């Protein structure tokens, strides 16, 4: 699609509507994850962390923080696009988009940008809260931005798949409960891979969330336990695969067109 | 300039094993006020959904002012304004915001959009309700918002699917006046309604769809000749088909 053929005003309007929708329920969207993160930082970072000592030569609070930022970033971008798309299907106001001169790609970009923005606002808010307790360095700023944006994008796309698939509100919450939170926790959010039993270390390396958490940790602390190239490759493959799948489902009208 | 506002050829649409539209063809001329009638489940709304892109159809072609509604769907959709039967809107959004966002989807620049929204709020007497969430409006006001939303990008073809359903008499008369004004201003209107007296009063040409097929199509005068009401012809056609099927 040529740039001049893009409905820029339509796209910008759609993104601004997604952002407005986010701030319409700001307690649920912002205050809830920030207050949970504050408790995590205080209890695990400050209280428990003081007794744990250094991990990989950094204070426990600093070691945990990238995982905490990642968890919130992932959850927020996923929840935004899944709930937005599902709600639009549920009340049928997705038809507002379908009858408008917007391409499938523009619709997808709109949902994904909404998810990325929410992920970044919540994730950076968690980082800002951590500054109350620690220095919270960012060693490689551009990598930090890259990991934050690309992983938000992956989970915004995944959220769209769930938003299309879900037939009720219960199904909408299942991936967050049974997939995202457990895999993030098991992906080295709270611990170094060396703290795991030898056999489980292999399993941890099969968990894609391990590479997400470790990549962000590297960008913030400069320490890494994974092969960063595998992580970058995984991110690229996931964005392309999920992006294509969402585009294809929109093209055939899966659960959005009759 | 294409003289046909809408041209449907051999349109087929099924939902699983159910054939909702069975190869209908019809055309509407530019500037016409066209009535599209039929019993519940006859295929009116399905046809409209196919025209506007809400439904995917199996075969046939749809052209809007000569533009293919599938191949050049973006250009075709710019020409259409839809006020659907159901309130397919973000119920928590305020009236002004609904118009603002939908105007944006159609690519209207900010300043022009602001001006257009004020004009349309005024036209539909919605200015005092502009700051209210959609869910807090009465049924009649909701209908007006749907109509305002359909008109925000000044479309050439207005498709109204039962726009007066659940609306009180006074409001219905207001809506009729708006629609007549729009038609006089050159807009082509496709109207579905179960209120046959309003179709008889407003429309110049009428089609009756039944069981997914066009059962009759023609000028209004063809349906009401001999001093009959439209309802008489409508019942004769739809019941006649029913009897034929029974036989």
């Amino acid at each position: 699609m040529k740039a001049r053929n893009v409905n820029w005003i339509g796209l910008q309007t759609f993104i601004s509507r997604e952002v407005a929708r986010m701030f319409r329920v700001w307690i649920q969207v912002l205050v809830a994850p920030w207050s949970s993160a504050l408790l995590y930082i205080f209890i695990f970072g400050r209280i428990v962390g003081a007794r744990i000592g250094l991990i990989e030569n950094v204070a426990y609070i600093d070691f945990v923080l990238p995982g905490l930022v990642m968890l919130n970033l992932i959850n927020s971008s996923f929840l935004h696009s899944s709930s937005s798309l599902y709600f639009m299907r549920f009340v049928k106001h997705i038809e507002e988009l379908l009858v408008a001169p917007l391409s499938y790609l523009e619709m997808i970009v709109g949902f994904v940008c909404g998810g990325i923005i929410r992920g970044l606002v919540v994730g950076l808010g968690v980082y800002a809260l951590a500054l109350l307790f620690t220095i919270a360095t960012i060693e490689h700023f551009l990598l930090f931005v890259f990991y934050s944006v690309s992983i938000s994008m992956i989970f915004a796309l995944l959220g769209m798949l769930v938003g299309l698939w879900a037939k009720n509100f219960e199904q909408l919450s299942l991936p967050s409960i049974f997939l995202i939170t457990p895999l993030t926790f098991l992906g080295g959010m709270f611990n170094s891979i060396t703290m795991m039993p030898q056999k489980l270390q292999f399993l941890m390396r099969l968990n894609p969330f391990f590479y997400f958490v470790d990549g962000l940790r590297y960008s913030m602390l400069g320490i890494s336990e994974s092969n960063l190239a595998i992580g970058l490759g995984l991110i690229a493959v996931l964005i392309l695969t999920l992006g294509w799948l969402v585009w294809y489902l929109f093209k055939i009208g899966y659960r959005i067109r009759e | 300039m294409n003289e046909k506002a809408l041209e449907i050829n051999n349109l087929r649409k099924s939902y699983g094993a159910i054939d909702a539209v069975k190869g209908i063809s019809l055309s509407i001329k530019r500037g016409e006020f066209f009535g599209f009638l039929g019993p519940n489940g006859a295929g009116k709304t399905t046809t409209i959904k196919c025209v506007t892109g809400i439904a995917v159809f199996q075969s046939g072609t749809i052209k809007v002012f000569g533009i293919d509604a599938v191949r050049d769907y973006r250009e075709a959709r710019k020409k259409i304004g839809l006020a659907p039967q159901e309130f397919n809107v973000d119920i928590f959004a305020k009236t002004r915001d609904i118009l603002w966002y939908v105007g944006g989807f159609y690519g209207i620049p900010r300043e022009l959009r602001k001006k257009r929204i004020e004009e349309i709020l005024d036209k539909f007497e919605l200015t005092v309700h502009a700051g209210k969430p959609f869910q807090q409006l009465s049924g009649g006001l909701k209908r007006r918002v749907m109509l305002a939303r359909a008109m925000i990008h000044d479309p050439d073809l207005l498709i109204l699917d039962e726009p007066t359903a659940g609306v009180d008499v006074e409001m219905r008369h207001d809506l009729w006046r708006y629609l007549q004004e729009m038609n006089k201003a050159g807009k082509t209107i496709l109207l579905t309604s179960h209120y046959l007296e309003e179709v008889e009063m407003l429309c110049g040409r009428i089609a009756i769809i039944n069981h997914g097929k066009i059962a009759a199509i023609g000028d209004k005068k063809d349906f009401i000749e001999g001093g009959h009401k439209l309802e008489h012809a409508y019942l004769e056609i739809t019941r006649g088909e029913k009897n034929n099927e029974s036989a």
Side-chain angles (χ1 to χ4, degrees):
Chain A
M1 186 188 292
K2 290 176 185 170
R4 65 187 165 85
N5 290 338
V6 175
N7 178 355
W8 291 110
I9 295 174
L11 179 57
Q12 187 232 323
T13 305
F14 184 24
I15 295 169
S16 70
R17 189 176 80 170
E18 287 298 287
V19 173
R21 201 182 68 82
M22 175 175 100
F23 286 107
R24 202 162 66 189
V25 283
W26 60 275
I27 293 179
Q28 180 196 328
V29 167
L30 302 174
V31 178
W34 286 343
S35 57
S36 295
L38 197 59
L39 287 170
Y40 271 112
I41 294 167
F42 181 67
I43 304 292
F44 287 97
R46 191 73 176 213
I47 310 274
V48 179
R51 290 169 177 265
I52 290 177
L54 299 180
I55 295 184
E56 303 289 325
N57 290 323
V58 294
Y60 187 63
I61 187 170
D62 291 323
F63 185 84
V64 168
L65 183 60
L68 205 51
V69 171
M70 183 56 70
L71 175 68
N72 281 281
L73 202 121
I74 286 174
N75 260 330
S76 299
S77 49
F78 174 83
L79 286 173
H80 184 87
S81 59
S82 61
S83 62
S84 181
L85 184 50
Y86 179 74
F87 180 72
M88 286 177 85
R89 279 178 54 217
F90 185 71
V91 298
K92 291 196 167 188
H93 94 101
I94 187 106
E95 291 177 4
E96 255 180 16
L97 292 179
L98 296 178
V99 303
L102 287 163
S103 68
Y104 309 119
L105 192 60
E106 286 158 359
M107 290 179 205
I108 294 165
V109 170
F111 280 115
V112 169
C113 284
I116 291 174
I117 291 167
R118 177 160 156 190
L120 292 180
V121 169
V122 174
L124 293 178
V126 171
Y127 173 80
L129 286 170
L131 291 173
L132 298 171
F133 300 92
T134 183
I135 296 167
T137 59
I138 296 179
E139 290 282 327
H140 307 287
F141 182 73
L142 287 179
L143 263 183
F144 177 78
V145 172
F146 168 78
Y147 278 111
S148 302
V149 172
S150 60
I151 292 166
S152 295
M153 191 185 290
I154 288 171
F155 285 90
L157 287 166
L158 199 63
M160 288 184 74
L161 288 179
V162 173
L164 287 173
W165 163 77
K167 287 183 179 169
N168 53 50
F169 282 100
E170 189 186 32
Q171 286 184 346
L172 199 62
S173 61
L174 293 180
S176 186
I177 298 166
F178 294 107
L179 188 78
I180 292 176
T181 306
L183 286 181
T184 315
F185 276 44
L186 295 169
M189 177 179 163
F190 291 112
N191 59 286
S192 160
I193 192 166
T194 56
M195 296 163 100
M196 301 288 275
Q198 197 72 33
K199 284 179 183 172
L200 290 180
Q201 285 185 18
F202 169 71
L203 284 177
M204 202 164 154
R205 288 188 192 280
L206 290 178
N207 177 1
F209 289 63
F210 168 64
Y211 297 92
F212 303 155
V213 173
D214 194 66
L216 194 72
R217 186 171 284 141
Y218 175 75
S219 73
M220 291 175 75
L221 303 174
I223 57 168
S224 171
E225 298 183 307
S226 72
N227 184 333
L228 290 176
I230 292 177
L232 293 174
L234 186 66
I235 288 170
V237 167
L238 283 172
I239 287 174
L240 291 174
T241 309
L242 293 171
W244 179 84
L245 191 55
V246 171
W247 176 82
Y248 176 73
L249 293 176
F250 263 68
K251 189 171 173 281
I252 62 168
Y254 177 75
R255 291 194 178 166
I256 51 171
R257 290 186 198 274
E258 291 179 12
Chain B
M1 186 187 281
N2 198 298
E3 286 309 305
K4 284 181 181 168
L6 181 64
E7 201 178 355
I8 299 173
N9 273 309
N10 204 21
L11 180 72
R12 289 180 190 275
K13 165 70 187 168
S14 55
Y15 294 100
I18 300 163
D19 293 327
V21 177
K22 302 169 184 169
I24 69 162
S25 297
L26 65 88
S27 65
I28 301 173
K29 285 183 207 147
R30 182 186 287 270
E32 260 189 338
F33 205 135
F34 190 88
F36 195 39
L37 306 181
N40 288 330
K44 304 184 298 291
T45 300
T46 301
T47 304
I48 287 171
K49 285 180 175 177
C50 291
V51 171
T52 53
I54 294 170
V56 182
F57 50 93
Q58 277 75 33
S59 65
T61 58
I62 297 171
K63 285 184 179 175
V64 181
F65 294 98
I67 302 164
D68 191 292
V70 176
R71 201 178 56 232
D72 298 321
Y73 66 96
R74 289 156 73 107
E75 286 308 307
R77 283 176 204 165
K78 284 179 192 168
K79 304 273 184 192
I80 303 173
L82 170 70
Q85 194 177 332
E86 290 180 73
F87 297 131
N88 61 352
V89 70
D90 180 356
I91 55 171
F92 302 111
K94 293 170 183 166
T95 302
R96 191 188 299 277
D97 293 339
I98 291 169
L99 299 177
W100 176 257
Y101 292 131
V102 172
F105 296 159
Y106 282 89
I108 305 172
R110 293 180 75 87
E111 287 309 311
L112 182 61
R113 210 184 322 164
K114 276 183 196 165
K115 191 169 162 271
R116 180 84 186 132
I117 287 171
E118 293 314 315
E119 281 171 8
I120 214 146
L121 284 171
D122 184 49
K123 185 173 184 61
F124 288 99
E125 295 165 34
L126 285 166
T127 307
V128 292
H129 307 288
K132 293 179 189 167
F134 186 81
Q135 63 175 350
Q136 287 179 14
L137 301 177
S138 68
L141 288 172
K142 283 176 179 166
R143 282 279 163 217
R144 276 200 257 174
V145 173
M146 300 302 276
L147 209 53
R149 186 183 68 168
M151 290 297 295
I152 191 71
H153 58 294
D154 196 22
D156 293 322
L157 171 62
L158 195 55
I159 299 178
L160 311 169
D161 195 1
E162 298 186 30
T164 53
V167 171
D168 65 38
V169 177
E170 197 181 331
M171 188 78 77
R172 193 178 304 163
H173 279 263
D174 285 344
L175 282 171
W176 290 346
R177 186 169 48 81
Y178 297 140
L179 297 180
Q180 283 172 321
E181 279 173 18
M182 286 178 220
N183 186 235
K184 272 184 192 155
K187 303 293 177 199
T188 308
I189 300 177
L190 188 160
L191 170 76
T192 82
S193 177
H194 286 297
Y195 300 112
L196 298 186
E197 73 278 11
E198 82 181 8
V199 176
E200 190 172 333
M201 186 189 70
L202 296 169
C203 300
R205 223 154 62 87
I206 293 164
I208 297 174
I209 184 171
N210 201 14
H211 303 298
K213 291 178 180 170
I214 299 289
I217 186 164
D219 289 339
K220 177 172 66 183
K221 61 179 171 35
D222 300 334
F223 290 91
I224 57 174
E225 64 185 2
H228 292 303
K229 301 289 281 179
L230 176 60
E231 192 167 316
H232 176 82
Y234 175 86
L235 288 173
E236 212 167 58
I237 291 163
T238 53
R239 280 182 181 163
E241 286 222 330
K242 203 173 178 181
N243 293 338
N244 287 344
E245 278 191 5
S246 315

